[in-house]
Every structure is written in C-alpha cells, then in structure tokens.
Amino acid sequence: IGFEYVRAVEKEMRARGRLMMANATPHAWFWLAPLLDVMGTETDWNHGGAWRPMADDELLYRRALCGGKPYCFLMNSDFSKFPHEATEKFMQRALAYGMFPGFFSADASTGHYFTRPELYNRDRPLFKRYLPLCKRVAEAGWQPLTGAASDNEAVIVERFGAQPGPCFLTVYNLAESRQRATVTLRTIRADGASRELLSGDRVAWPGGCAAFDLGPGEVRVVSLGGQP
C-alpha cells in the first residue's frame, strides 16, 4: 500500500516538474528509494553528550540504496552538549560518504539549531569549509566501484564521479586513534593537478599510490583531476 501511494504521488509530482523527498528512507522504507529524488532522516550521534556516530555499515547501506541521489541528515541532539568539535566531526563523517549534515532540535519541536545565533555563528566557519565540498562530491555522484583501495581497514575510501570528468576520493579515518594509510589507484588514475581540497595541497601518486595521515574521524577530499 505504501509503495502504491508514493508511486501515485511521484507520478503527479513528475507531471508538475517537481521532485520527491521522504524522511525515514531508505533505512525504514528501502523499497521507496527508486521513487524518490532525495532521502534522509533525523538522527542523534551525541546522545547524552557521548559521541556515537552512525556506523560505517549503516552509512554504506544508505549510500548504496541512494546511489547518486542526495542523502540528508537532521541532527536531533541536545545542543547544550553538542560542542563545536562535535559539529566538525559530524560534517567530516557526512562528507566522507557524500552526504549532507543538517541540524534540527533535541525534541524535533523546540530549541531549533537555526534559531540560535550562538550555535550557528559559532559553527559558521565549518559550514563554509565543509558544505561546498559535500555539494561538490555529491553532484559528481557516488560510485559503487571505488577503483582505489586502502591498505588500512580503519581508513576507508569512497569515490565520486567518473573519469574523464571530475573524479574525487574521500579518505576517512574510522578509528578513535591516528591512522596512516596508503591508497592505491587500481582502475582510476590521477593527473598532475591532483589536490587535497580541504588543504589545497598537491597530491602526488608515484606508482599510483599516495600516503595519508589522519586523526580520529578526519577526512581528506582528493581531486584526481578532470574538468572542474
């Protein structure tokens, strides 16, 4: 019944030139993913002031079902216990999977994040730093075949975009300690313009390999070249 209902709405929205977005998908309603353009959910990665982000397998499940479609989070947390550092961790983890970090309220009713200047002004530099890159990799489109591999299981790699067009790798440290990993390109290549976009530093790939040193929950976004 739910599928038929959403399919009917989708047909009407398409006829109007509109897009479809739904909450609680695809984790609760995975079979709606083909009908929707944007999916997402409310979440709390800092419940009680303890940082417990969504696990890699949960994020990959959502990423795989959404494919190249946008996936959006609303952080429903007690923002009195959600420091600037937690905001950056949230944004870095979302960026690693090409997702969008958003903010709401602890009870989905009061104390909304974007009604509180002391919060959004505090975090404004993080929005300016991370959101353009979330948009950039998401628009390139997540690819299920990464074409690159990390030699450290605590450091994951995801690919966005297909060559010869814009192509990006996100390199992310899942561990709670500093990690070093060598990423090897397999079915994709890098040109001389390859850069890490958060720092602007050039990335060299001798023999198709590059080493990355990352702190806990830290991300790198590497452009492999191609048209901007």
Side-chain angles (χ1 to χ4, degrees):
I1 292 172
F3 185 88
E4 292 175 358
Y5 175 81
V6 173
R7 183 169 56 185
V9 177
E10 180 220 15
K11 184 177 180 180
E12 181 174 342
M13 293 300 102
R14 294 284 182 270
R16 297 184 188 184
R18 302 292 180 87
L19 299 176
M20 291 276 288
M21 187 272 174
N23 193 1
T25 51
H27 62 283
W29 308 92
F30 68 91
W31 30 267
L32 295 180
L35 304 176
L36 300 167
D37 301 292
V38 181
M39 286 161 271
T41 192
E42 291 112 332
T43 192
D44 185 358
W45 294 3
N46 201 54
H47 186 71
W51 182 250
R52 296 187 185 89
M54 191 172 288
D56 176 59
D57 58 349
E58 294 181 89
L59 288 161
L60 283 178
Y61 177 76
R62 289 158 171 76
R63 181 73 280 165
L65 283 168
C66 292
K69 298 175 180 180
Y71 189 81
C72 306
F73 284 113
L74 279 178
M75 187 60 65
N76 279 16
S77 192
D78 180 355
F79 292 114
S80 68
K81 300 177 181 178
F82 203 94
H84 182 75
E85 294 76 18
T87 301
E88 185 162 27
K89 288 180 181 180
F90 175 39
M91 290 188 176
Q92 290 202 67
R93 199 172 185 95
L95 173 56
Y97 297 86
M99 297 175 176
F100 289 90
F103 298 82
F104 194 21
S105 79
D107 58 8
S109 177
T110 61
H112 301 82
Y113 177 94
F114 285 107
T115 66
R116 299 170 66 179
E118 73 277 13
L119 295 176
Y120 63 71
N121 283 327
R122 178 198 71 183
D123 297 334
R124 186 181 298 271
L126 298 179
F127 282 94
K128 296 174 74 172
R129 178 172 172 80
Y130 292 107
L131 266 293
L133 290 177
C134 292
K135 182 175 184 288
R136 191 168 178 183
V137 299
E139 287 180 343
W142 178 78
Q143 301 295 317
L145 299 178
T146 309
S150 165
D151 68 349
N152 182 341
E153 65 180 10
V155 177
I156 62 166
V157 181
E158 295 297 330
R159 176 165 67 102
F160 301 84
Q163 295 178 328
C167 189
F168 307 93
L169 294 178
T170 59
V171 184
Y172 181 68
N173 179 10
L174 291 166
E176 296 181 5
S177 59
R178 181 166 290 275
Q179 300 287 320
R180 184 174 176 84
T182 296
V183 175
T184 301
L185 303 182
R186 291 180 172 172
T187 61
I188 53 177
R189 64 190 184 281
D191 63 25
S194 181
R195 292 192 176 278
E196 199 287 303
L197 299 181
L198 284 163
S199 65
D201 293 341
R202 182 176 177 271
V203 180
W205 296 88
C209 298
F212 297 89
D213 188 77
L214 301 104
E218 194 170 11
V219 70
R220 299 282 187 271
V221 183
V222 182
S223 170
L224 298 178
Q227 297 300 313

